[in-house]
Amino acid sequence: MLTLIAQNSFIHLDVGLYRNLFESSSKGMMITNADNEIIHVNHSFTRITGYDASEVIMLNPRVLSSGRHDANFYRCLWEQLRLRGCWEGEIWDKRKNGEIFPSWQTVDALKNPEGRITHYLSVFSDIMPLKTTENELWKLAHHDGLTGLLNRRALEQRLDAEISAARRSGRNGILIFLDLDDFKKINDTLGHKAGDRLLVEVSRRLGQYLRKEDVFARLSGDEFVIMLTDLSASLDGTALAAAGVIRNMLQILATPFVIDGQALNISASFGVTFFHPFADTAEEALKQADTAMYLSKKHGKNTYTFYHPAMQEAADLRLYFETELRNAVHADQITLVYQPQYDQHQQLLGYEALARWNHPEKGEIMPSDFIAMAEETGIIIEMGEKILSIACAQMAEWQRGGATVPMLSINVSPTQFNHHNFVDRVLAIFKATEIDPAKITLEVTENLIISNVDEVIDKMNALKTWGVRFAIDDFGTGYSSLAYLKKLPIDQLKIDRSFIKDIVNNNNDAVIVNTILSMAEHLRMEIIAEGVENQAQNDHLIKSGCKGFQGYWLCPPLHGYEVFQSGFC
Ligand code: C2E
Ligand code: MG
Ligand code: MG
C-alpha cells in the first residue's frame, strides 16, 4: 500500500523511512485514494478511533462521522481542499464504541506531477482532554461558585443572544428579577454560612420547578434572575404566563426552609419586564426588571410588579377573571340559552345549548369571552359537566311539560372530552336526569381529532352504544384531516358561519359550502348551516340542497322557558 503512495504521489520518500514515520507518529493518520476510500491508517488512528486497519480499509471516512456537522460543513471542507489543497480545523468524530470526540485535523490533497489529486492525507489528534479543561474553565468563568447557577456575565451574554433571537422570531421573552426579602436579617442573625445554605436551597427548589429551557442565574448576594423565552406572541398572554410562573415561585418559597435544624420562613420580591419587545439590550432589560423589583419592595414585599403598568393590569385582570370564573361554576352563574335548528321546511330539528355567564356586576358575558380561559385553566372540566347537567335537566323538564324537543345539541370542549372519565360522567348525568341519550348530540370541534384519534373514536363509540350522536362544530375552520374524519362515528357536520356570511356574493364560499354539502351526502352525514342571518343566505342554501339551518334570521337563542311558548320565532 505504501509503495502505491510513493509511486503515485509526487512525494518521493524512502518507503522504509516513510513507514516508520507514519506508524510511529503520535497523531492519527489516514490516507485515502482519489475516490476517498481509506487505503491506510496508522497505529495512532487505531488507538484514537478504536478501529483496526482491516475494519476500515476501502471504506469511506464517513465511518467516523459523528453526525454533529451538517452537509454545509462538509461542503465547505471539500471546497477548500479543491481550491487550496488543504483544510485544517476541528471535527467531531465517532469512535468504534460510539463515543463522540473532538479532533483537530489537517487534510492535504496529494497530487501527482501532472497536478491530479491522487490521495488525501488526514492527520489528527484527539483534543478531548483539552476540551474538558476548556469546558471546566468556561464553567468557572460563567457559573456562580456557590449555587452553580449562571453568573451575571453568562446571563448578560444569553440575554443579548435571546433579545436578537426574539427579534427574529417575534416571540416575547420575559425577564424576572428576584430578590429575597430581609435576607440581611438571616445573615446577621444566623451567620453567613447559614445564609449561603439558604441561597443554595432556594436555587435548588426554584431550579426544580423551572423548565429546562428557562435561564436561571444568580447575580450577586440574594439576587436571582429568571429568563423565560419563546412565550406566546400576545403581550397579554405572555404577561399572564409570567404572572403564573411567579405565583408558583411565591408559593414554592412559602414552604419553610430548614437550615441547621431551624425552620425559616422567607419570601421574595419580584420585578418583571419583557426583554422582547420592550428592551434593546441586556443592560436595559436588567435595569427595567430591577426597577420593577424595587416597586415590589415598596409595595410591601412578597409580591411581583411589572415594569410596564399595562402588563400589570392585564395580568391582574386575568387573575381576577380566573378567580371569578372558578367561583361562577359554584355560584350558579353559568346558565344556558337554546337556539333552534330547522330543516328546509322550517320544521324544528332541535336546539343547541349555548352557555352564558351571568356575572353579578358585569352582566351577561358571552362564551367567546370565557370559554377559552376556562379551557386554558382547566375550569372547563367542572364547568362542562355543569353545562351538561343543566342541559339534560332542561331536556327532562321540557319532556315533563309536554314540549316536543326532538334533539338537544350540547357543545363539548376538547379538554373536557379528553378528560379520562368523560364517558362515565356523561352517562351518570343521563341517568340522574332520566333523559333519553338518543336525543342528545354532542358537538365537538375538528381540533379534537388532531391527537389521540384512537382514544377519541373509542370514547365516541362507547357513548354511541347508548344512542348519543356526534356533530363536528365549526366545520371547515379546524385542522382535521378528511382521512380521520371518515374513521369517526360522526352524524352531523355544522358548516362554520364564516362560510355562510358571504355565500351569496363570494363564489369561493359558495363552492366550499357546496363541497361540504356533497361530502356530507356521500358520507351520509346530516348538515346544519350555522349563522344564517338573512333570507338571501337561506334561499341560496336551500337551492344548494342544504337541509339544516340555524341562525338569527330563523331564531335567536331562547331561554329554556321560552321553548314552551310554541311559535315564538
Ligand atoms: P358555536 O357552537 O358554533 O355556537 C354558535 C354560535 O353562533 C353561538 O354563539 C350563537 O349565538 C351564534 N349564532 C347563532 N346564530 C347566529 C347568526 O345568525 N349570526 C351570528 N353571527 N352568530 C350566530 P355563542 O353563544 O356566542 O357561542 C360561541 C361559541 O362558544 C360557540 O360556538 C361554542 O364554540 C362556544 N360555546 C358556547 N356554549 C358552549 C358550551 O356550553 N360549552 C363549550 N365548550 N363551548 C360553548
Ligand atoms: Mg356549537
Ligand atoms: Mg359552530
Side-chain angles (χ1 to χ4, degrees), residues 325 334 355-357 365-374 383:
L325 189 59
I334 303 294
R356 298 289 179 263
W357 176 6
I365 303 177
M366 299 302 273
S368 52
D369 292 325
F370 69 87
I371 291 287
M373 197 204 295
M383 182 187 287

Side-chain angles (χ1 to χ4, degrees), residues 83-186:
L83 293 175
R84 298 177 41 199
C86 63
W87 179 89
E88 181 166 6
E90 185 182 306
I91 294 193
W92 283 79
D93 276 336
K94 189 157 81 180
R95 302 188 218 275
K96 188 180 170 185
N97 64 9
E99 188 190 8
I100 287 175
F101 70 100
S103 73
W104 189 260
Q105 261 187 54
T106 58
V107 185
D108 285 287
L110 307 181
K111 294 178 178 166
N112 63 13
E114 288 81 51
R116 198 168 54 82
I117 295 177
T118 57
H119 301 90
Y120 298 96
L121 168 66
S122 304
V123 180
F124 62 94
S125 42
D126 181 352
I127 55 167
M128 190 66 147
L130 214 77
K131 278 266 161 195
T132 314
T133 323
E134 202 179 283
N135 275 345
E136 274 161 13
L137 281 175
W138 190 90
K139 244 185 148 171
L140 274 176
H142 291 81
H143 287 78
D144 162 45
L146 178 68
T147 60
L149 299 178
L150 293 184
N151 61 16
R152 178 186 284 271
R153 181 204 300 197
L155 173 78
E156 282 175 353
Q157 281 174 5
R158 271 297 290 273
L159 192 48
D160 271 328
E162 291 294 343
I163 288 174
S164 307
R167 228 177 263 147
R168 282 193 301 273
S169 71
R171 295 183 73 78
N172 297 317
I174 283 281
L175 194 72
I176 302 169
F177 208 105
L178 178 171
D179 188 293
L180 296 184
D181 295 331
D182 304 316
F183 180 66
K184 193 173 170 299
K185 247 192 237 159
I186 292 169

Side-chain angles (χ1 to χ4, degrees), residues 473-529:
D473 204 355
D474 309 337
F475 186 72
T477 58
Y479 298 104
S480 68
S481 104
L482 294 180
Y484 281 156
L485 201 63
K486 205 177 65 182
K487 282 171 64 180
L488 295 172
I490 297 294
D491 304 276
Q492 187 182 73
L493 293 184
K494 298 190 72 180
I495 309 176
D496 189 67
R497 64 171 178 270
S498 58
F499 301 115
I500 309 298
K501 199 165 153 268
D502 294 326
I503 192 172
V504 178
N505 302 315
N506 184 326
N507 194 42
N508 285 347
D509 286 348
V511 170
I512 290 172
V513 170
N514 278 341
T515 311
I516 298 177
L517 285 169
S518 98
M519 195 186 84
E521 194 179 330
H522 284 107
L523 294 173
R524 291 189 178 32
M525 291 177 188
E526 293 165 10
I527 280 278
I528 299 273

